[in-house]
Amino acid sequence: MTTTLPPLRLGIAGLGTVGIGVVKIVQQHADLLAARSGRAVQITAVSARSKGKDRGAPLDGYAWEDDPVALAKRDDVDVFVEVMGGSEGPAKDATEAAIAAGKDVVTANKALLAIHGHSLALAAETAGRVIRFEAAVAGGIPVVKSLTEGLAGNAMGRVMGVMNGTCNYILTQMEATGQGYEALFAEADKLGYLEADPNLDVGGIDAGHKLALLASIAFGTQVDFDGVELEGIQRVSLDDITRAGEMGFKIKLLGVAQMSDRGLVQRMTPCLVPATSPLGRLQGGTNMVVLEGDSVEQIVLRGPGAGEGPTASAVMSDVMDIARGIRISTFGQPAKTLTSAPRAQASTVAPYYLRLHLTDKPGALAKVAAVLGDHGISIDRMRQIDHEGTSAPVIIVTHDTTRAALDEALAAFGTTGVVDDAPVALRIENV
Amino acid sequence: MTTTLPPLRLGIAGLGTVGIGVVKIVQQHADLLAARSGRAVQITAVSARSKGKDRGAPLDGYAWEDDPVALAKRDDVDVFVEVMGGSEGPAKDATEAAIAAGKDVVTANKALLAIHGHSLALAAETAGRVIRFEAAVAGGIPVVKSLTEGLAGNAMGRVMGVMNGTCNYILTQMEATGQGYEALFAEADKLGYLEADPNLDVGGIDAGHKLALLASIAFGTQVDFDGVELEGIQRVSLDDITRAGEMGFKIKLLGVAQMSDRGLVQRMTPCLVPATSPLGRLQGGTNMVVLEGDSVEQIVLRGPGAGEGPTASAVMSDVMDIARGIRISTFGQPAKTLTSAPRAQASTVAPYYLRLHLTDKPGALAKVAAVLGDHGISIDRMRQIDHEGTSAPVIIVTHDTTRAALDEALAAFGTTGVVDDAPVALRIENV
């Protein structure tokens, strides 16, 4: 087979870390890309906020557009590569413009797709174009491809993942160094690991975006980021990590999506997972996704969740698919056929880890136990920690309960007069 | 998009574990498969050695062929699914017949492709057909797809894998139970974990087939199974596992492929890997593949390497790709463009673990050390094990050396008059 297809021409919007990573791959591996796809892959035009900046790769062979929308509409662009980020504004405008102009889209933008993914997928479908987003989920790990294509013969069970490297870095460094959350947050900030709005990371939003995308593919549902139960890692204390460790667990910001009888469950919350499980062993900024299907049983994928090379590698996976003529629906099946599932996370059960601070007076523990009992929550283990002062930390591990019942019990703690401070409640996930 | 494409019609040759697994998925997930691929996926005809047998899934809706070649040529078959096995005979004949008759081929047959893959790929290319083989490597793990498509933007570095579950089961059970190789081999046999010819498993041949397939994709080379340095696990003793453990290593039947300046390195041999690495922690029959690319850094994929469901899941991944119109060259680029690389494993360096039995007399160790020194091999650590009788086990860890130099030294040990028995030499792989 000789190369008879015309070159595939990319327009890259965004020349930050990821965009430059893509430029470098296209420049350095032109022969490899052509050999594998059967056609040349070229960059014809680029766009970014400031033109002058030295970005570490020559850009003078490419047309420059100040406006990503103009880039998206250019006649010499076949694939619009959106690596700007942001769910609204230029990224959204330019993506819509690209589809309207008959371009395929490759994007690393989890926020855009988590919020507008369904309408964009419908628009692309109508226009006969594809939107691909391998780089939006778990960096270099080919998880979108593995799920959409590799496991296409499976009815999916649970999809789980540690998909925010910054949070996992903070949590594992808290344990490794014995420093508290605040100190590690400051360190992550200094290392440049945090988004401009750090709440995207530590609040679980970024990881929640990714989970919502995977859930859509896994269960054939319209992406529903608002349906994700979100909780950040800000309230996880060193004490929690230590206590969990004593019981054989690690604390991870874990995403879980599954379809229950009552609807779709989507959660991105700090969880306790067995210390010896692959998820429990995950250190630092690495990502891990666990895919469970009825035939395949369990697949675990591990790799770098961010960074120039890994994210650019994922972008190029999508570009190469398009170069090779692979055209898959955005979420793995025609957008029109995606269903709207009820949200069901409140009704699923699990054991929970609770940390309370009790006023140090007789009967306090009994009152707490009574409130839990009143809400149908039975106690597996309870332990009072040695303490100084008037507030006694207590660790409780419950038997299976719904989050809804637990939230009611937590609210009722306030009426006992013995619980100081808001309790910490972390689900124990059987991974 | 409504389903306007005609159904994709499968002819399944082989109704063993994998074939029946595929039948079950097609029967149980008809709606899911149609929703995802945009067309119905149907079985029209099947073939196996004996017709009467109850196989746990109804087959009466399908045409029966005694001869897989006849099945491969049927007009009502679009995709020939070859799950019989064997590198020669019916599997090869039928695969060639299918291609000649204009069918796409999905196969789980690692032996067939490791030996005849290049000529089959050329034939398929000429005929405009595809051969897909996700199920041939590492069972349910979507590793062929991850490597060929997910990492298509990377110049690949090392590809490594534990890809024979039976060997990993035996090695990890030796450690867990303290039993020797022979006892665990017998247990694996009793559990049905061994191929009809057990040497395919414990001799590393089956895993070597898989490695050769991955190497071809990773490096754009013609599949070269004969070029794989093969060594089985038969000589790994409980003592080796214990000694390796004391030094922080586990012993794995590890495949390593990489391109060096001198050519392609392919090895499937028992190796020492760090106990705390993902490969070192792999227990039982699970498979793991590590993919290293210049952009993506390192991806680790873990999952079941065998069994009805996982292997059928991989077959269906290929079937669904074809249903979706995805057409990829067998080894990721046109077969005509695959190169023939020189074999270079003898020239790469690594530290080695050696276990020798020395005649218990003065100066024995010095003689061994001298032989190693004569061959340019320096010693990192050496340890004599407490012993009874006249033969003293000695463990030596060398600094970096080539296998070629080491083999010469091992041969020269015979002339010293102090080395009993053939030494065990295991590479220490920096994973």
Side-chain angles (χ1 to χ4, degrees):
Chain A
M1 214 187 322
T2 44
T3 306
T4 50
L5 288 165
L8 185 75
R9 299 165 303 174
L10 314 182
I12 301 178
L15 294 169
T17 309
V18 181
I20 288 299
V22 173
V23 169
K24 286 183 188 168
I25 292 179
V26 173
Q27 291 179 350
Q28 291 164 12
H29 288 325
D31 292 346
L32 196 64
L33 302 178
R36 289 177 178 165
S37 71
R39 63 196 292 195
V41 175
Q42 299 174 348
I43 297 164
T44 45
V46 296
S47 163
R49 272 187 220 152
S50 62
K51 191 172 177 183
K53 213 160 138 187
D54 177 12
R55 294 180 163 91
L59 301 171
D60 30 303
Y62 315 140
W64 180 276
E65 296 281 358
D66 288 317
D67 176 7
V69 172
L71 180 82
K73 294 176 175 173
R74 286 178 66 98
D75 287 340
D76 60 0
V77 166
D78 302 309
V79 179
F80 178 65
V81 179
E82 192 274 286
V83 284
M84 296 181 286
S87 67
E88 314 296 330
K92 178 162 176 275
D93 296 344
T95 300
E96 289 171 343
I99 292 165
K103 317 297 186 188
D104 293 323
V105 174
V106 172
T107 179
N109 192 330
K110 56 225 77 165
L112 175 67
L113 288 186
I115 293 166
H116 302 293
H118 187 58
S119 61
L120 289 170
L122 285 169
E125 204 161 286
T126 305
R129 295 293 101 195
V130 298
I131 302 175
R132 303 296 303 272
F133 59 91
E134 186 63 81
V137 184
I141 304 175
V143 58
V144 171
K145 182 170 279 288
S146 292
L147 176 60
T148 313
E149 303 167 39
L151 305 188
N154 287 261
M156 294 305 295
R158 259 188 324 183
V159 171
M160 299 187 286
V162 170
M163 298 187 284
N164 184 281
T166 304
C167 287
N168 203 51
Y169 173 82
I170 291 175
L171 291 173
T172 53
Q173 282 296 101
M174 283 170 71
E175 181 172 14
T177 67
Q179 295 179 83
Y181 170 80
E182 300 299 337
L184 269 307
F185 177 88
E187 185 179 307
D189 194 20
K190 214 168 63 183
L191 292 168
Y193 289 182
L194 287 164
E195 302 264 357
D197 172 5
N199 196 41
L200 289 174
D201 287 312
V202 297
I205 298 167
D206 164 83
H209 287 151
K210 297 168 184 169
L211 184 75
L213 296 175
L214 293 184
S216 171
I217 300 168
F219 306 111
T221 49
Q222 295 169 21
V223 58
D224 178 24
F225 170 66
D226 286 343
V228 180
E229 177 189 328
L230 270 189
E231 191 181 316
I233 63 165
Q234 301 97 328
R235 296 196 60 222
V236 176
S237 70
L238 190 57
D239 206 34
D240 293 322
I241 291 175
T242 307
R243 301 306 159 208
E246 288 164 3
M247 296 187 285
F249 294 103
K250 300 281 183 188
I251 299 179
K252 300 288 168 191
L253 179 65
L254 182 70
V256 180
Q258 63 192 120
M259 189 61 82
S260 78
D261 294 343
R262 301 194 182 185
L264 180 62
V265 174
Q266 297 181 96
R267 256 188 242 110
M268 180 57 70
T269 61
C271 289
L272 273 63
V273 300
T276 56
S277 64
L279 283 166
R281 282 172 166 155
L282 192 70
Q283 295 286 316
T286 308
N287 279 200
M288 181 175 284
V289 182
V290 178
L291 304 174
E292 295 177 348
D294 61 346
S295 289
V296 80
E297 300 168 8
Q298 189 186 69
I299 298 288
V300 179
L301 312 173
R302 177 185 186 277
E308 176 182 304
T311 314
S313 167
V315 169
M316 288 309 298
S317 166
D318 289 337
V319 167
M320 288 294 281
D321 272 6
I322 293 171
R324 282 163 157 167
I326 296 177
R327 304 189 72 75
I328 299 259
S329 299
T330 311
F331 296 103
Q333 63 185 67
K336 276 187 216 166
T337 68
L338 296 167
T339 60
S340 175
R343 297 168 183 173
Q345 48 266 20
S347 64
T348 60
V349 300
Y352 277 82
Y353 161 100
L354 306 179
R355 176 169 50 86
L356 315 167
H357 288 263
L358 299 189
T359 308
D360 201 0
K361 55 186 176 191
L365 264 181
K367 284 189 186 172
V368 162
V371 167
L372 290 171
D374 289 347
H375 291 83
I377 301 168
S378 60
I379 294 171
D380 178 27
R381 281 180 272 181
M382 172 144 67
R383 184 174 160 203
Q384 195 148 0
I385 312 293
D386 292 338
H387 64 287
E388 293 175 4
T390 58
S391 179
V394 173
I395 306 298
I396 297 174
V397 174
T398 73
H399 284 291
D400 275 357
T401 175
T402 64
R403 180 79 209 196
L406 188 67
D407 282 341
E408 285 175 29
L410 297 184
F413 281 164
T415 66
T416 60
V418 300
V419 179
D420 301 342
D421 213 354
V424 166
L426 305 176
R427 186 181 168 97
I428 302 178
E429 189 75 27
N430 179 24
V431 301
Chain B
M1 212 187 323
T2 44
T3 306
T4 50
L5 286 166
L8 186 75
R9 300 166 302 173
L10 314 181
I12 301 177
L15 293 171
T17 309
V18 182
I20 288 299
V22 173
V23 169
K24 287 182 188 169
I25 292 178
V26 173
Q27 290 179 349
Q28 290 164 13
H29 287 325
D31 292 347
L32 196 65
L33 302 178
R36 289 176 178 165
S37 71
R39 63 195 293 194
V41 175
Q42 299 173 350
I43 297 164
T44 44
V46 295
S47 163
R49 272 187 220 152
S50 62
K51 190 173 177 182
K53 214 159 139 186
D54 177 12
R55 293 179 164 92
L59 302 171
D60 30 303
Y62 314 140
W64 181 275
E65 296 281 357
D66 288 317
D67 177 8
V69 172
L71 180 82
K73 295 176 175 172
R74 286 179 66 98
D75 286 340
D76 60 0
V77 165
D78 301 310
V79 180
F80 178 66
V81 179
E82 193 273 286
V83 284
M84 295 181 287
S87 67
E88 314 296 329
K92 178 162 176 275
D93 296 343
T95 300
E96 289 172 343
I99 292 165
K103 318 297 187 187
D104 292 323
V105 173
V106 171
T107 179
N109 192 331
K110 58 223 76 164
L112 174 68
L113 287 186
I115 294 167
H116 302 292
H118 186 57
S119 60
L120 289 170
L122 285 170
E125 204 161 287
T126 305
R129 297 293 101 195
V130 298
I131 302 175
R132 303 297 303 273
F133 60 90
E134 185 64 81
V137 184
I141 304 175
V143 58
V144 171
K145 182 170 277 290
S146 292
L147 175 60
T148 315
E149 304 167 38
L151 305 188
N154 287 261
M156 294 305 296
R158 256 187 328 182
V159 172
M160 299 187 287
V162 170
M163 299 187 283
N164 183 282
T166 305
C167 287
N168 203 51
Y169 173 82
I170 290 174
L171 292 172
T172 53
Q173 282 296 101
M174 283 170 72
E175 181 172 14
T177 67
Q179 296 179 82
Y181 171 80
E182 300 298 338
L184 269 307
F185 177 88
E187 185 179 307
D189 194 21
K190 215 168 63 184
L191 291 168
Y193 289 1
L194 287 164
E195 303 264 356
D197 172 6
N199 196 42
L200 288 175
D201 288 311
V202 297
I205 298 167
D206 164 83
H209 287 150
K210 297 168 185 171
L211 183 75
L213 296 175
L214 294 184
S216 170
I217 301 169
F219 306 111
T221 48
Q222 295 169 21
V223 58
D224 177 26
F225 170 66
D226 286 343
V228 180
E229 178 189 327
L230 271 187
E231 191 181 316
I233 63 166
Q234 302 97 327
R235 295 196 61 221
V236 176
S237 71
L238 189 58
D239 205 33
D240 293 322
I241 292 175
T242 307
R243 301 306 158 209
E246 288 164 3
M247 295 186 286
F249 294 103
K250 300 280 183 187
I251 299 179
K252 300 288 168 191
L253 179 65
L254 182 70
V256 180
Q258 63 192 120
M259 189 61 82
S260 79
D261 293 343
R262 300 194 182 185
L264 181 62
V265 174
Q266 298 182 95
R267 256 187 242 110
M268 180 58 70
T269 60
C271 289
L272 272 63
V273 299
T276 57
S277 64
L279 283 165
R281 283 173 166 154
L282 192 70
Q283 296 286 314
T286 308
N287 279 199
M288 182 175 283
V289 182
V290 178
L291 304 174
E292 294 177 350
D294 61 346
S295 290
V296 79
E297 299 169 9
Q298 189 187 70
I299 299 287
V300 179
L301 313 174
R302 177 186 185 277
E308 177 182 304
T311 314
S313 168
V315 168
M316 288 308 298
S317 165
D318 289 336
V319 167
M320 289 293 282
D321 272 5
I322 293 171
R324 282 163 156 167
I326 296 177
R327 306 189 71 76
I328 300 258
S329 298
T330 310
F331 296 103
Q333 63 185 67
K336 276 186 216 169
T337 68
L338 296 166
T339 60
S340 175
R343 298 168 183 174
Q345 49 265 19
S347 64
T348 61
V349 301
Y352 277 81
Y353 161 100
L354 307 179
R355 176 169 50 86
L356 315 166
H357 288 263
L358 298 189
T359 308
D360 201 0
K361 54 187 176 190
L365 265 181
K367 284 190 186 172
V368 162
V371 167
L372 289 172
D374 289 347
H375 290 83
I377 301 168
S378 60
I379 295 172
D380 179 26
R381 281 180 271 181
M382 173 144 67
R383 185 177 159 201
Q384 193 147 0
I385 311 293
D386 292 338
H387 64 287
E388 294 174 3
T390 58
S391 180
V394 172
I395 305 298
I396 297 174
V397 174
T398 73
H399 284 291
D400 274 357
T401 176
T402 63
R403 180 80 210 198
L406 188 67
D407 282 341
E408 284 175 28
L410 296 184
F413 281 163
T415 66
T416 60
V418 299
V419 178
D420 301 341
D421 212 354
V424 166
L426 306 176
R427 186 180 168 99
I428 301 178
E429 189 74 27
N430 179 24
V431 300

